[in-house]
Every structure is written in C-alpha cells, then in structure tokens.
Amino acid sequence: MNKINWRSLLLLFSICFFSFQCTEKKSYYETSGFVFGTTFHILYGTDKGEVESVVFDSLFSLINQSLSPFEERSIISRVNRSEAMEVDSFFSCVFLKAQEISEETEGAFDITVAPLVNAWGFGFKHSDTLSSTLIDSLKELVGYEKVALVENKVVKQNGNLMLDASAIAKGYSCDVVANYFEKQGIDDFMIEVGGEVVTRGVNSRGEEWVIGITQPREENSISTPTLQDCICLGNGAMATSGNYRQFYYKDGKRYSHTINPITGYPVEHSLLSATVLADDCMTADALATAFMVKGLDWSYSYVEGRPNLAAYFIYSDEKDSLKVKYTTSFEKYLIKK
Ligand code: ADP
Ligand code: MG
C-alpha cells in the first residue's frame, strides 16, 4: 500500500470514529445507597458512560467528615468539642446558609439547637433526665447569634455550645452532587437524599421528572408511600419537613423531632408537613424545618412575598382531616389530578 492509501485509510477511520462518537446514545443510570442515616437515589442521563459509584461515595464521605456529629473526627464534632481548627468549604457553606436562614426566620431555624435536640432524645447524645429546669439551662447555650465564623474558625460565646446540621446537610448534599453533574456536563438528573430532591432536564422517556409529595400519616409506608400530590419540579430543588416519621410517645404525649429553639420544646401544632421549592436544596431544607417551627400562617406569608420560593403545606383541621394549602407560586408545579 502506498502513502496516499494509508492517509485515506486514516481519514476514513477518523470519520468513522467521529461519527460513532456523535451518534453514541445517551443512557440513563441509577445508583442508590445509605447516607446520613437515610437513603439516597440518583438517576442521570449521559452519553459519556456511567459515573463510578465511588464518585458519589466520596462526595458523601467528604460531607460526612465535615458535617456529621455522629463521626467523632468530623469538623462539626471537633467544633462541638471546642478544638481550635479551621473549617473546610463544606462546613463554611452550610454554616453561613444556616445563619442566613436563622435571621430570615427569627431564629426558628437554629444550627445551635443541638443541646436541646440531644436532651429531647433526637440527637447524637442522649440525656436521661429531662426537666423544665434542664431545658431552661440548655436554652442558655442555644442561639445562632452566639456563634460566628471568623477567618475560617468557629468562634463560640460558650464552650458548651454545640452545632447540629441535620436539618440542612441532606439538602446540601443534593446540591453538591448536582454541582458535580453540572461540572461534568451532565444536564439530566434526579438526586434524592432522604426526601430532599434536585432535578434538571428530563428523564429516560424525555419527560420532566415527576416528584411526589407524601401524605403525612404515621402509618404511611416509607418505600411506597401514599402521595398527596405530584409536581413537575423542572430545574429546581425541593425539601419536605414533617413530624410524622420522627417522633415518640411518652406518658401518652407525642414528641416530635423539630424543636422550637425559642421555647426549648418540640413543636406542637396542626402543620403536619411543609414542602419548600427554592433555587438550591440547602435553602429549601432549612426553610422547611423553620416552617415546621413557625406554623402555617407565618410560613405562608413569608413565601408569598418571595418570587424565588414556593411552598405546599399539609395540616390537620379541627376534625383531624388532612387539608392542603399552597402558595400562588406553587400552582404551576402541580400536576392536575
Ligand atoms: P425533616 O425531614 O423533618 O426536615 P430533618 O432530619 O431534615 O427532618 O431535620 C430534623 C432534625 O433537625 C432534627 O432531628 C434535629 O437534629 C434538627 N433540628 C430540630 N429542630 C431544629 C431547628 N429548630 N433548627 C435546626 N435544626 C433543627
Ligand atoms: Mg429537612
């Protein structure tokens, strides 16, 4: 074969290779597992091949090493023990957002609520005796204005003050995975961590992702829950807080895992769940918990005045039946039954 023939062969090969690359079809992949004491599900479409599951495991592990109070060596655990140290970017991102949401919600969301959460038996440490005197003394340790981030170090007004990022970390981890996909040029995905969700683009049928809003009933199954409504989230983030899964009964009284940082007691009102849509999932997650503290009326008015937010509330009326109220901005997401 002469030189010209070799060259044409090479050209032909390049054309074939190029057209093969152009026509490679997008495939959808799924991965799921356990993280932060809950489950995660990730679905994504790409023409670049499956992302190794170790990538997701490493991202979740980094967040865990930063924000999990159940990890003895995590940054948050070390901050809680008042060890002198600099925090990482996961920690500072979540901390600053938590402080912003605390200010926005008059302290209803508070990352310093840990001592109270622990005392009520929902946290990373448990106390055996619970009395109004103990609650009052623990309240002295709670207050977002008693802690600040100065030059990447957490400055606490009191050494016994402790942080709990449980109500924001799941939403944040959805944002971290979404950010990873975006950097990889992956535009179609659905990320769900413990009920908090971020979606972009379309599913494997080329349709918008449909996300369900669970009916907040104690007996509702976790794996196949009865849904109250379904929405098309579009390119958005959604988080739901509720007091129908994490609670206990003591002496005939029901105690929920959302604590009002101002009173020091678990919240008790007719609001059963708050679903929040926001530009990012960490904001949605923190606001959803704040709304469970603030109750229906305050939360509804708060969202009505803010075009970047939408909310859907489920509450029980005087006859104990489920009622729904959603903000004007939520309407366009709902799939009509
Ligand atoms: P939910 O699905 O109800 O939002 P999360 O796990 O996201 O559940 O949040 C509940 C957890 O948040 C509690 O177990 C506790 O650790 C923490 N928490 C409780 N009350 C507050 C509060 N007022 N502000 C911030 N975090 C809170
Ligand atoms: Mg939450």
Side-chain angles (χ1 to χ4, degrees):
M1 224 180 270
N2 64 27
K3 263 188 184 169
I4 300 289
N5 279 346
W6 269 113
R7 239 184 245 147
S8 358
L9 213 66
L10 200 69
L11 187 69
L12 186 71
F13 177 74
S14 314
I15 292 169
C16 286
F17 181 71
F18 184 69
S19 45
F20 171 74
Q21 280 219 318
C22 284
T23 55
E24 193 177 338
K25 250 185 78 154
K26 184 195 285 178
S27 300
Y28 275 77
Y29 303 95
E30 186 174 4
T31 181
S32 57
F34 293 91
V35 66
F36 316 135
T38 184
T39 53
F40 73 86
H41 294 98
I42 299 172
L43 281 161
Y44 59 98
T46 174
D47 55 9
K48 298 183 184 83
E50 190 167 8
V51 177
E52 284 188 55
S53 62
V54 67
V55 169
F56 304 112
D57 293 343
S58 325
L59 287 175
F60 289 137
S61 167
L62 286 171
I63 303 172
N64 231 9
Q65 288 309 316
S66 181
L67 291 160
S68 171
F70 297 96
E71 294 284 337
E72 213 193 313
R73 298 301 305 153
S74 68
I75 292 179
I76 200 164
S77 294
R78 296 175 66 192
V79 165
N80 287 348
R81 290 195 297 269
S82 303
E83 290 180 25
M85 57 170 309
E86 288 206 7
V87 302
D88 65 6
S89 59
F90 295 113
F91 186 98
S92 55
C93 192
V94 163
F95 182 87
L96 295 174
K97 175 57 77 177
Q99 296 294 76
E100 178 195 318
I101 301 294
S102 296
E103 274 181 26
E104 283 285 308
T105 60
E106 303 167 348
F109 180 88
D110 198 321
I111 200 172
T112 69
V113 78
L116 289 169
V117 171
N118 291 342
W120 285 105
F122 293 105
F124 48 90
K125 280 182 183 171
H126 294 276
S127 61
D128 302 326
T129 50
L130 197 63
S131 62
S132 56
T133 325
L134 176 68
I135 301 297
D136 283 344
S137 67
L138 292 177
K139 264 167 56 184
E140 295 297 312
L141 300 174
V142 175
Y144 67 96
E145 65 293 335
K146 296 175 183 158
V147 61
L149 197 57
V150 182
E151 289 171 359
N152 248 11
K153 291 189 183 120
V154 177
V155 179
K156 305 197 283 185
Q157 265 181 28
N158 183 319
N160 293 327
L161 192 146
M162 286 192 286
L163 310 182
D164 175 356
S166 308
I168 187 168
K170 291 194 288 283
Y172 178 63
S173 61
C174 291
D175 292 334
V176 170
V177 177
N179 195 26
Y180 167 80
F181 279 143
E182 277 157 12
K183 281 200 182 125
Q184 299 302 310
I186 297 174
D187 306 320
D188 300 300
F189 55 81
M190 193 281 303
I191 305 157
E192 184 261 323
V193 180
E196 326 307 11
V197 183
V198 171
T199 57
R200 299 275 186 280
V202 290
N203 64 21
S204 58
R205 292 184 301 279
E207 297 158 0
E208 270 195 76
W209 302 95
V210 173
I211 311 294
I213 298 174
T214 307
Q215 239 180 41
R217 290 189 190 278
E218 292 171 21
E219 65 279 10
N220 206 346
S221 138
I222 292 182
S223 50
T224 47
T226 309
L227 300 177
Q228 184 70 34
D229 259 311
C230 284
I231 64 164
C232 274
L233 184 54
N235 293 337
M238 160 181 147
T240 300
S241 271
N243 282 324
Y244 56 101
R245 289 242 160 88
Q246 301 288 335
F247 61 87
Y248 61 83
Y249 282 98
K250 198 175 169 198
D251 304 329
K253 199 169 153 46
R254 193 178 187 279
Y255 295 92
S256 76
H257 76 158
T258 309
I259 312 295
N260 183 336
I262 316 289
T263 63
Y265 284 77
V267 298
E268 279 180 79
H269 47 60
S270 57
L271 183 57
L272 303 174
S273 78
T275 294
V276 180
L277 310 189
D279 293 336
D280 60 85
C281 205
M282 136 167 101
T283 301
D285 201 4
L287 279 178
T289 290
F291 291 169
M292 289 309 295
V293 174
K294 281 294 200 181
L296 180 60
D297 294 342
W298 188 94
S299 307
Y300 181 88
S301 314
Y302 178 88
V303 176
E304 273 298 53
R306 290 170 174 79
N308 288 353
L309 298 174
Y312 179 101
F313 304 97
I314 306 179
Y315 62 98
S316 58
D317 68 5
E318 314 76 46
K319 293 180 196 126
D320 242 12
S321 38
L322 291 191
K323 288 273 177 293
V324 166
K325 185 170 179 175
Y326 48 84
T327 58
T328 317
S329 51
F330 201 91
E331 175 105 47
K332 64 176 181 285
Y333 297 96
L334 275 171
I335 298 171
K336 296 275 177 287
K337 286 180 203 167

